Amino acid sequence: MTGQSFEFVSTAFCRDKKVGNCPQVALNVPGVVAVRDSERPDAIVTMTPDAWRLLTNAVKAGEYDLTA
């Protein structure tokens, strides 16, 4: 990752200025997915694309449903 910086994006919902902290994701560095909270931009978590797929699949399946 030397010489490369992450280009974070938010979902369209989070681009509304009324919305506070939002997750942001960077996919621009090959082999790395970076995630951060918009209110804590220096706290970056990185993972492999395979780990990202596992995480997003688990979220979609309701595995991390906080209302359960």
Side-chain angles (χ1 to χ4, degrees), residues 1-67:
M1 293 190 315
T2 306
Q4 295 186 14
S5 61
F6 296 119
E7 296 172 11
F8 287 95
V9 296
S10 298
T11 65
F13 175 79
C14 288
R15 292 183 194 124
D16 183 337
K17 298 296 182 195
K18 297 176 195 164
V19 177
N21 64 323
C22 286
Q24 297 177 318
V25 178
L27 302 171
N28 65 300
V29 176
V32 178
V33 176
V35 181
R36 70 179 184 186
D37 181 326
S38 62
E39 290 187 341
R40 296 180 55 205
D42 293 331
I44 298 171
V45 175
T46 60
M47 63 191 79
T48 65
D50 286 338
W52 174 250
R53 278 188 282 284
L54 288 171
L55 174 63
T56 56
N57 287 339
V59 169
K60 290 175 188 176
E63 217 170 299
Y64 297 103
D65 184 355
L66 298 177
T67 62

